[in-house]
């Protein structure tokens, strides 16, 4: 295990001796054997929770509680780095803090030194004795003072969560006043960090497996629709054209009726064919194939314009390269928004615009249609999917009317480059 102490004039070995009695040089009064047994039991229970619990946050709350209960640690945080952003995914001993990521970002902007970020980047355990006093006295930590000040703690240790040589996050341990971590404490923390890392990695693998299965199923449905239903509807359209041609210029009442039926059948077939082709386009898994997001959206716009007649304009300036998953989510949001324009807006034109200011990215889809008759249904599948994709990147999705039609607006923060928090 690699370990670093970050306090002036005290070595690692000296820090370890702080856990013995200054008078007799012996361990504290509690039986060392009992303490080790308690820690081993905590590791076993944490391992069991990783195997049994379906929810990652529940599992990691269990891991955090086991650390607190088995040691002289007053509070624990388990942080995940996802999409370049630190996210709190497990805790014990802390007050609820749903806005922790936002407060964390404020502290970072103010210039607060965050040892757990350094631990994540270096993949080393870092120990900082008497850390709380420094944190609470530093105005750069102000946004997190309420959260960090609630537990009774003094020294601090942060252990990276590492799987296959890759850091996924950190486990932060906040030691009770008068307690300093020993070598045995660090070995226990490392073991619990391994359990947390295993839980995070398992959740990632499961999510990727589900996503791959969904993409495979979507591709299968797209192939079957194209090979069967589309061909049948296309055949219906050709038969309707043939029927209308056979009626010719007949001026009899029966001929007029047949012509009307043929025209209606032809219109229905054409509409169904356009809908099916649009559905197939949406079902096909997105493959950027080396293209950036803007190029992929331009290709989508050309396809939508060709099939629907709605004129699609793309407005985009310089846009930094985005993580592939973020680009795919934004592509799907734009795709769903344009689908709604074609289906419901009765519009002749739509504008898709991208604007970046620093790390903030705004995507808007405006149309010149009839607008929304009322509040959109919150449970509409397409809108739910769009909103979830935006929220995945700590973003927001708004939909409403403008003076000329309707607008969808998505705002989110582009993550830092890989490896940064």
């Amino acid at each position: 295990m690699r370990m670093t102490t970050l306090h002036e004039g005290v070595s690692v070995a000296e820090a370890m001796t702080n856990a013995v009695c200054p008078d007799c040089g012996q361990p504290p009064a509690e039986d060392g054997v009992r303490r080790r047994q308690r820690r081993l039991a905590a590791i076993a229970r944490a391992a069991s929770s990783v195997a049994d619990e379906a929810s990652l946050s529940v599992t990691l709350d269990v891991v955090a509680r086991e650390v607190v209960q088995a040691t002289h640690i007053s509070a624990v945080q388990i942080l995940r780095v996802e999409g370049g952003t630190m996210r709190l995914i497990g805790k014990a001993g802390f007050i609820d803090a749903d806005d922790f990521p936002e407060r964390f970002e404020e502290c970072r902007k103010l210039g607060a030194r965050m040892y757990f970020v350094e631990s994540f980047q270096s993949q080393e355990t870092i120990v900082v004795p008497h850390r709380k006093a420094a944190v609470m006295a530093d105005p750069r930590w102000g946004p997190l003072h309420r959260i960090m000040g609630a537990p009774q703690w003094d020294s601090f240790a942060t252990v990276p969560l590492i799987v296959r040589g890759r850091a996924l996050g950190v486990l932060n341990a906040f030691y009770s006043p008068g307690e300093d971590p020993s070598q045995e404490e660090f070995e226990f923390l490392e073991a619990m960090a391994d359990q947390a890392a295993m839980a995070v990695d398992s959740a990632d693998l499961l999510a990727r497996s589900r996503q791959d299965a969904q993409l495979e199923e979507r591709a299968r449905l797209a192939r079957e629709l194209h090979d069967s239903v589309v061909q049948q509807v296309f055949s219906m359209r050709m038969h309707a054209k043939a029927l209308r041609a056979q009626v010719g210029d007949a001026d009899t009442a029966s001929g007029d009726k047949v012509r009307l039926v043929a025209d209606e059948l032809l219109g229905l077939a054409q509409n169904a064919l356009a809908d099916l082709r649009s559905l197939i386009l949406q079902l096909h898994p997105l493959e950027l194939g080396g293209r950036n997001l803007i190029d992929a959206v331009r290709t989508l716009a050309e396809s939508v314009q060709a099939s629907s007649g709605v004129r699609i304009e793309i407005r985009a300036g310089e846009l930094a390269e985005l993580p592939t998953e973020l680009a795919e989510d934004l592509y799907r949001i734009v795709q769903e928004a344009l689908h709604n324009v074609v289906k419901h807006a009765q519009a002749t034109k739509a504008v898709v615009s991208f604007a970046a200011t620093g790390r903030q990215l705004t995507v808007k889809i405006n149309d010149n249609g009839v607008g929304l008759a009322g509040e959109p249904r919150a449970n509409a599948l397409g809108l739910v999917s769009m909103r979830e994709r935006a929220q995945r990147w700590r973003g927001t999705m708004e939909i409403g009317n403008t003076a000329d039609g309707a607008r969808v607006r998505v705002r989110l923060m582009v993550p830092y480059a890989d490896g940064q928090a």
Side-chain angles (χ1 to χ4, degrees):
M1 178 185 68
R2 293 174 294 172
M3 182 172 60
T4 305
T5 54
L6 297 171
H7 58 298
E8 185 175 350
V10 182
S11 67
V12 173
E14 289 172 326
M16 298 304 181
T17 63
N18 290 335
V20 302
C21 174
D23 297 322
C24 63
Q26 297 300 314
E30 181 182 10
D31 188 319
V33 174
R34 265 190 305 167
R35 182 179 292 190
R36 282 193 295 273
Q37 289 174 342
R38 199 164 69 241
R39 290 171 184 158
L40 288 172
I43 293 172
R45 286 193 296 269
S48 175
S49 73
V50 169
D52 294 341
E53 295 289 354
S55 168
L56 179 62
S57 61
V58 171
T59 297
L60 295 180
D61 281 346
V62 169
V63 173
R65 284 198 301 271
E66 293 294 346
V67 174
V68 169
Q69 292 170 5
T71 61
H72 296 295
I73 292 174
S74 63
V76 168
Q77 290 174 330
I78 300 175
L79 302 175
R80 168 77 193 276
V81 177
E82 188 174 26
T85 302
M86 278 278 187
R87 186 163 63 93
L88 182 64
I89 54 175
K91 67 180 185 301
F94 278 100
I95 59 175
D96 289 334
D98 293 335
D99 59 348
F100 178 85
E102 289 75 16
R103 293 177 179 273
F104 166 81
E105 185 66 24
E106 291 177 31
C107 293
R108 186 219 296 271
K109 289 179 179 178
L110 290 171
R113 184 172 185 180
M114 298 178 173
Y115 290 116
F116 50 89
V117 174
E118 296 178 18
S119 173
F120 170 80
Q121 293 172 340
S122 67
Q123 298 191 15
E124 292 185 353
T125 296
I126 295 178
V127 185
V128 190
H130 314 304
R131 176 62 174 155
K132 183 176 184 179
V135 168
M136 300 308 292
D138 190 343
R140 293 171 298 184
W141 279 96
L144 280 171
H145 275 170
R146 182 179 66 88
I147 297 171
M148 304 295 283
Q152 295 297 315
W153 65 282
D154 180 32
S155 296
F156 170 76
T158 177
V159 186
L161 311 182
I162 300 176
V163 173
R164 295 184 293 277
R166 183 170 62 96
L168 304 178
V170 292
L171 184 152
N172 293 336
F174 300 81
Y175 283 82
S176 302
E179 297 292 337
D180 288 302
S182 64
Q183 178 64 44
E184 197 171 300
E185 292 275 4
F186 286 123
E187 292 172 356
F188 170 68
L189 282 181
E190 239 187 13
M192 297 302 280
D194 286 344
Q195 298 298 332
M198 185 192 310
V200 173
D201 188 52
S202 297
D204 285 350
L205 291 173
L206 180 59
R208 282 197 292 271
S209 176
R210 287 174 175 168
Q211 184 179 32
D212 289 344
Q214 289 172 351
L215 292 177
E216 185 177 343
E217 179 65 10
R218 288 161 66 105
R220 184 188 68 79
L221 287 172
R223 288 194 301 270
E224 290 188 1
L225 282 171
H226 180 270
D227 294 343
S228 60
V229 182
V230 168
Q231 298 305 320
Q232 292 180 42
V233 174
F234 182 79
S235 179
M236 287 171 56
R237 189 180 70 166
M238 298 307 295
H239 278 80
K241 283 186 175 181
L243 178 60
R244 187 171 61 178
Q246 288 179 11
V247 173
D249 297 326
D251 54 2
T252 62
S254 59
D256 290 339
K257 290 180 179 179
V258 172
R259 190 182 301 109
L260 287 173
V261 172
D263 287 343
E264 184 175 353
L265 179 60
L266 179 60
L268 289 172
Q270 287 174 333
N271 290 337
L273 193 60
D275 286 349
L276 281 169
R277 284 173 173 163
S278 175
L279 178 60
I280 290 171
L281 180 64
Q282 293 180 58
L283 281 172
H284 268 304
L286 173 62
E287 295 180 1
L288 293 176
R291 297 177 299 171
N292 61 32
L293 173 62
I294 304 304
D295 289 341
V297 170
R298 290 190 193 280
T299 301
L300 171 67
E302 291 170 2
S303 174
V304 172
Q305 184 168 302
S307 62
S308 68
V310 178
R311 193 156 42 94
I312 312 293
E313 180 182 347
I314 308 299
R315 297 176 183 173
E318 290 295 325
L319 193 63
E321 185 176 353
L322 302 175
T324 301
E325 290 184 355
L326 173 56
E328 290 184 354
D329 279 336
L330 288 174
Y331 179 92
R332 292 300 185 191
I333 290 172
V334 172
Q335 184 181 55
E336 179 64 28
L338 290 179
H339 172 73
N340 289 337
V341 169
V342 172
K343 291 291 292 182
H344 307 297
Q346 301 176 34
T348 59
K349 179 181 178 181
V351 177
V352 181
S353 61
F354 296 82
T357 305
R359 288 179 58 212
Q360 180 170 296
L361 176 60
T362 302
V363 182
K364 292 188 290 188
I365 302 93
N366 289 61
D367 67 65
N368 65 348
V370 297
L372 301 171
E375 286 294 321
R377 289 186 297 116
N379 61 347
L381 186 59
L383 295 183
V384 170
S385 175
M386 293 165 70
R387 187 168 288 109
E388 286 179 347
R389 289 182 186 277
Q391 290 173 346
R392 180 182 177 189
W393 302 94
R394 294 172 55 202
T396 60
M397 194 275 287
E398 304 166 2
I399 181 169
N401 287 327
T402 65
D404 302 321
R407 178 183 65 194
V408 172
R409 179 169 58 194
V410 174
R411 290 173 174 164
L412 52 80
M413 299 296 290
V414 178
Y416 286 103
D418 290 344
Q420 294 185 343

Tab-separated table of all heavy atoms in Angstrom, residues 80-87 168 323 325-326 359 392-394 413-421:
chain	number	residue	atom	x	y	z
A	80	ARG	N	-17.758	9.022	-5.995
A	80	ARG	CA	-17.544	8.417	-7.310
A	80	ARG	C	-17.201	9.530	-8.305
A	80	ARG	O	-17.838	10.576	-8.312
A	80	ARG	CB	-18.822	7.702	-7.758
A	80	ARG	CG	-18.826	7.288	-9.225
A	80	ARG	CD	-17.970	6.063	-9.434
A	80	ARG	NE	-17.703	5.800	-10.841
A	80	ARG	CZ	-18.515	5.144	-11.657
A	80	ARG	NH1	-19.681	4.702	-11.197
A	80	ARG	NH2	-18.181	4.901	-12.898
A	81	VAL	N	-16.201	9.289	-9.129
A	81	VAL	CA	-15.911	10.207	-10.234
A	81	VAL	C	-16.572	9.632	-11.477
A	81	VAL	O	-16.228	8.549	-11.940
A	81	VAL	CB	-14.396	10.374	-10.450
A	81	VAL	CG1	-14.134	11.275	-11.649
A	81	VAL	CG2	-13.760	10.965	-9.209
A	82	GLU	N	-17.548	10.361	-11.991
A	82	GLU	CA	-18.331	9.876	-13.123
A	82	GLU	C	-18.533	11.022	-14.094
A	82	GLU	O	-19.034	12.078	-13.736
A	82	GLU	CB	-19.681	9.354	-12.637
A	82	GLU	CG	-20.488	8.648	-13.686
A	82	GLU	CD	-21.753	8.040	-13.097
A	82	GLU	OE1	-22.233	8.542	-12.070
A	82	GLU	OE2	-22.244	7.073	-13.675
A	83	GLY	N	-18.117	10.811	-15.327
A	83	GLY	CA	-18.230	11.892	-16.299
A	83	GLY	C	-17.395	13.089	-15.916
A	83	GLY	O	-17.734	14.229	-16.244
A	84	GLY	N	-16.286	12.863	-15.185
A	84	GLY	CA	-15.414	13.954	-14.774
A	84	GLY	C	-15.915	14.722	-13.573
A	84	GLY	O	-15.332	15.737	-13.206
A	85	THR	N	-16.979	14.260	-12.921
A	85	THR	CA	-17.576	14.968	-11.797
A	85	THR	C	-17.594	14.088	-10.558
A	85	THR	O	-17.915	12.902	-10.635
A	85	THR	CB	-19.025	15.388	-12.138
A	85	THR	OG1	-19.004	16.204	-13.299
A	85	THR	CG2	-19.650	16.167	-10.990
A	86	MET	N	-17.246	14.671	-9.388
A	86	MET	CA	-17.340	13.958	-8.115
A	86	MET	C	-18.808	13.863	-7.692
A	86	MET	O	-19.528	14.861	-7.715
A	86	MET	CB	-16.560	14.711	-7.039
A	86	MET	CG	-15.060	14.444	-7.055
A	86	MET	SD	-14.655	12.900	-6.196
A	86	MET	CE	-12.854	12.990	-6.216
A	87	ARG	N	-19.221	12.653	-7.303
A	87	ARG	CA	-20.601	12.454	-6.867
A	87	ARG	C	-20.594	11.647	-5.580
A	87	ARG	O	-19.901	10.632	-5.467
A	87	ARG	CB	-21.387	11.723	-7.957
A	87	ARG	CG	-22.869	11.584	-7.684
A	87	ARG	CD	-23.611	11.242	-8.953
A	87	ARG	NE	-23.199	9.971	-9.504
A	87	ARG	CZ	-23.805	8.801	-9.247
A	87	ARG	NH1	-24.836	8.765	-8.426
A	87	ARG	NH2	-23.386	7.685	-9.803
A	168	LEU	N	-11.755	4.693	-9.486
A	168	LEU	CA	-13.171	4.979	-9.732
A	168	LEU	C	-13.699	6.075	-8.816
A	168	LEU	O	-14.725	6.685	-9.107
A	168	LEU	CB	-14.005	3.714	-9.526
A	168	LEU	CG	-13.625	2.493	-10.350
A	168	LEU	CD1	-14.518	1.313	-9.982
A	168	LEU	CD2	-13.731	2.799	-11.834
A	323	PRO	N	-17.342	13.911	-24.514
A	323	PRO	CA	-17.308	12.469	-24.251
A	323	PRO	C	-18.342	11.759	-25.115
A	323	PRO	O	-19.435	12.295	-25.361
A	323	PRO	CB	-17.668	12.376	-22.761
A	323	PRO	CG	-17.289	13.701	-22.189
A	323	PRO	CD	-17.541	14.697	-23.287
A	325	GLU	N	-20.400	9.277	-24.669
A	325	GLU	CA	-21.716	9.030	-24.079
A	325	GLU	C	-22.542	10.305	-24.024
A	325	GLU	O	-23.760	10.281	-24.244
A	325	GLU	CB	-21.560	8.430	-22.686
A	325	GLU	CG	-21.020	7.008	-22.693
A	325	GLU	CD	-20.985	6.419	-21.291
A	325	GLU	OE1	-21.283	7.161	-20.332
A	325	GLU	OE2	-20.669	5.227	-21.165
A	326	LEU	N	-21.906	11.444	-23.726
A	326	LEU	CA	-22.617	12.714	-23.702
A	326	LEU	C	-23.088	13.083	-25.100
A	326	LEU	O	-24.233	13.525	-25.289
A	326	LEU	CB	-21.713	13.805	-23.131
A	326	LEU	CG	-22.252	15.249	-23.198
A	326	LEU	CD1	-23.606	15.357	-22.515
A	326	LEU	CD2	-21.251	16.217	-22.559
A	359	ARG	N	-17.730	25.743	-19.552
A	359	ARG	CA	-18.145	24.349	-19.484
A	359	ARG	C	-19.648	24.178	-19.687
A	359	ARG	O	-20.141	23.053	-19.784
A	359	ARG	CB	-17.749	23.742	-18.133
A	359	ARG	CG	-16.262	23.502	-17.962
A	359	ARG	CD	-15.981	22.916	-16.584
A	359	ARG	NE	-16.704	21.676	-16.380
A	359	ARG	CZ	-17.155	21.262	-15.206
A	359	ARG	NH1	-16.976	21.999	-14.126
A	359	ARG	NH2	-17.792	20.118	-15.086
A	392	ARG	N	-28.766	13.013	-16.463
A	392	ARG	CA	-27.601	12.140	-16.319
A	392	ARG	C	-26.300	12.945	-16.270
A	392	ARG	O	-25.330	12.528	-15.659
A	392	ARG	CB	-27.573	11.159	-17.496
A	392	ARG	CG	-26.409	10.189	-17.486
A	392	ARG	CD	-26.465	9.309	-18.704
A	392	ARG	NE	-25.318	8.401	-18.765
A	392	ARG	CZ	-25.036	7.646	-19.803
A	392	ARG	NH1	-25.825	7.672	-20.866
A	392	ARG	NH2	-23.980	6.856	-19.793
A	393	TRP	N	-26.320	14.129	-16.894
A	393	TRP	CA	-25.143	14.998	-16.931
A	393	TRP	C	-25.363	16.240	-16.078
A	393	TRP	O	-24.839	17.299	-16.359
A	393	TRP	CB	-24.827	15.373	-18.376
A	393	TRP	CG	-24.592	14.171	-19.209
A	393	TRP	CD1	-25.503	13.507	-19.981
A	393	TRP	CD2	-23.378	13.418	-19.318
A	393	TRP	NE1	-24.934	12.413	-20.570
A	393	TRP	CE2	-23.633	12.334	-20.188
A	393	TRP	CE3	-22.096	13.570	-18.773
A	393	TRP	CZ2	-22.645	11.402	-20.516
A	393	TRP	CZ3	-21.118	12.641	-19.115
A	393	TRP	CH2	-21.399	11.579	-19.974
A	394	ARG	N	-26.192	16.084	-15.024
A	394	ARG	CA	-26.491	17.187	-14.089
A	394	ARG	C	-27.063	18.381	-14.838
A	394	ARG	O	-26.797	19.538	-14.511
A	394	ARG	CB	-25.232	17.591	-13.321
A	394	ARG	CG	-24.701	16.526	-12.378
A	394	ARG	CD	-23.370	16.898	-11.788
A	394	ARG	NE	-23.432	18.191	-11.140
A	394	ARG	CZ	-22.360	18.955	-10.914
A	394	ARG	NH1	-21.171	18.565	-11.297
A	394	ARG	NH2	-22.489	20.102	-10.302
A	413	MET	N	-23.550	20.900	-17.834
A	413	MET	CA	-22.126	21.201	-17.671
A	413	MET	C	-21.316	20.088	-18.327
A	413	MET	O	-21.503	18.911	-18.026
A	413	MET	CB	-21.762	21.287	-16.188
A	413	MET	CG	-22.506	22.392	-15.445
A	413	MET	SD	-22.097	24.038	-16.035
A	413	MET	CE	-20.405	24.187	-15.440
A	414	VAL	N	-20.441	20.458	-19.246
A	414	VAL	CA	-19.574	19.484	-19.900
A	414	VAL	C	-18.526	19.021	-18.901
A	414	VAL	O	-17.870	19.853	-18.260
A	414	VAL	CB	-18.900	20.093	-21.136
A	414	VAL	CG1	-17.950	19.080	-21.785
A	414	VAL	CG2	-19.954	20.541	-22.145
A	415	PRO	N	-18.351	17.699	-18.711
A	415	PRO	CA	-17.375	17.213	-17.734
A	415	PRO	C	-15.954	17.617	-18.104
A	415	PRO	O	-15.644	17.899	-19.258
A	415	PRO	CB	-17.535	15.697	-17.797
A	415	PRO	CG	-18.851	15.463	-18.458
A	415	PRO	CD	-19.072	16.625	-19.367
A	416	TYR	N	-15.098	17.621	-17.081
A	416	TYR	CA	-13.674	17.803	-17.346
A	416	TYR	C	-13.165	16.595	-18.106
A	416	TYR	O	-13.829	15.565	-18.222
A	416	TYR	CB	-12.905	17.933	-16.020
A	416	TYR	CG	-13.105	19.256	-15.336
A	416	TYR	CD1	-13.953	19.368	-14.234
A	416	TYR	CD2	-12.453	20.395	-15.784
A	416	TYR	CE1	-14.145	20.574	-13.591
A	416	TYR	CE2	-12.630	21.619	-15.142
A	416	TYR	CZ	-13.463	21.703	-14.049
A	416	TYR	OH	-13.653	22.905	-13.420
A	417	ALA	N	-11.955	16.708	-18.605
A	417	ALA	CA	-11.339	15.587	-19.326
A	417	ALA	C	-11.206	14.392	-18.393
A	417	ALA	O	-11.188	14.521	-17.179
A	417	ALA	CB	-9.982	16.011	-19.856
A	418	ASP	N	-11.103	13.202	-18.987
A	418	ASP	CA	-10.978	11.976	-18.194
A	418	ASP	C	-9.809	12.084	-17.218
A	418	ASP	O	-8.751	12.593	-17.548
A	418	ASP	CB	-10.747	10.768	-19.111
A	418	ASP	CG	-11.996	10.445	-19.905
A	418	ASP	OD1	-13.060	10.939	-19.522
A	418	ASP	OD2	-11.870	9.722	-20.906
A	419	GLY	N	-10.046	11.559	-16.018
A	419	GLY	CA	-9.011	11.565	-15.015
A	419	GLY	C	-9.035	12.780	-14.127
A	419	GLY	O	-8.323	12.867	-13.141
A	420	GLN	N	-9.849	13.762	-14.447
A	420	GLN	CA	-9.978	14.937	-13.599
A	420	GLN	C	-11.320	14.896	-12.904
A	420	GLN	O	-12.281	14.340	-13.428
A	420	GLN	CB	-9.868	16.229	-14.423
A	420	GLN	CG	-8.503	16.420	-15.038
A	420	GLN	CD	-8.398	17.756	-15.739
A	420	GLN	OE1	-9.389	18.396	-16.029
A	420	GLN	NE2	-7.190	18.156	-16.030
A	421	ALA	N	-11.407	15.519	-11.717
A	421	ALA	CA	-12.653	15.487	-10.972
A	421	ALA	C	-13.303	16.853	-11.012
A	421	ALA	O	-12.653	17.847	-11.260
A	421	ALA	CB	-12.370	15.081	-9.546
